[in-house]
Amino acid sequence: MQRRGGLEKVGGLALGFAVGAVWLAGLAQPRTPTYYQDVKPILEAQCVGCHKPGGIAPFSLTEPQDAVARAQLIAAVTASGRMPPWPPGPDSPEFLDQRKLTEAQKATLAAWAQAGAPLGQK
């Protein structure tokens, strides 16, 4: 049985710390949102009830190309609170099935538009 030397242990520890640091750095950097992974679920839950073919909205958001073409508009109107429309005021009681976006959802839409509206993997 051969004993490891002190230098080998230090080298192994340094490698372990380096790998750990790279892994943590990857966690710290925000991932770019994509249509399929991040945006489509938001649109389906909050927008396509009206923004669909034959819906009451002036355009559809059911297809990826529809959303990509309007990414900057989506980011702007959701950040301002203009969309999704919700007539009751901020002091109204909670309603079931409200069409309101969370701040995280608004940030996701904005980051997606800022990144050039990538589709990502299906």
Side-chain angles (χ1 to χ4, degrees):
M1 178 185 229
Q2 212 174 7
R3 267 181 94 166
R4 287 186 138 182
L7 191 54
E8 287 176 351
K9 288 181 186 177
V10 170
L13 282 174
L15 178 62
F17 282 124
V19 169
V22 168
W23 180 76
L24 285 174
L27 290 179
Q29 294 179 354
R31 183 182 58 76
T32 300
T34 65
Y35 173 80
Y36 287 110
Q37 187 170 0
D38 305 289
V39 173
K40 183 179 179 183
I42 296 170
L43 297 180
E44 286 178 344
Q46 301 296 341
C47 307
V48 299
C50 298
H51 287 274
K52 61 185 175 186
I56 62 171
F59 53 85
S60 176
L61 291 174
T62 58
E63 297 298 325
Q65 65 271 16
D66 300 331
V68 169
R70 293 178 175 87
Q72 294 299 323
L73 177 64
I74 292 167
V77 298
T78 56
S80 72
R82 207 168 144 213
M83 287 285 151
W86 186 245
D91 296 327
S92 298
E94 292 285 318
F95 288 85
L96 293 176
D97 301 322
Q98 293 186 74
R99 283 217 162 94
K100 292 172 95 175
L101 296 175
T102 65
E103 292 304 314
Q105 289 171 321
K106 291 177 186 179
T108 296
L109 294 171
W112 174 69
Q114 180 74 26
L119 289 176
Q121 297 294 317
K122 281 189 180 184

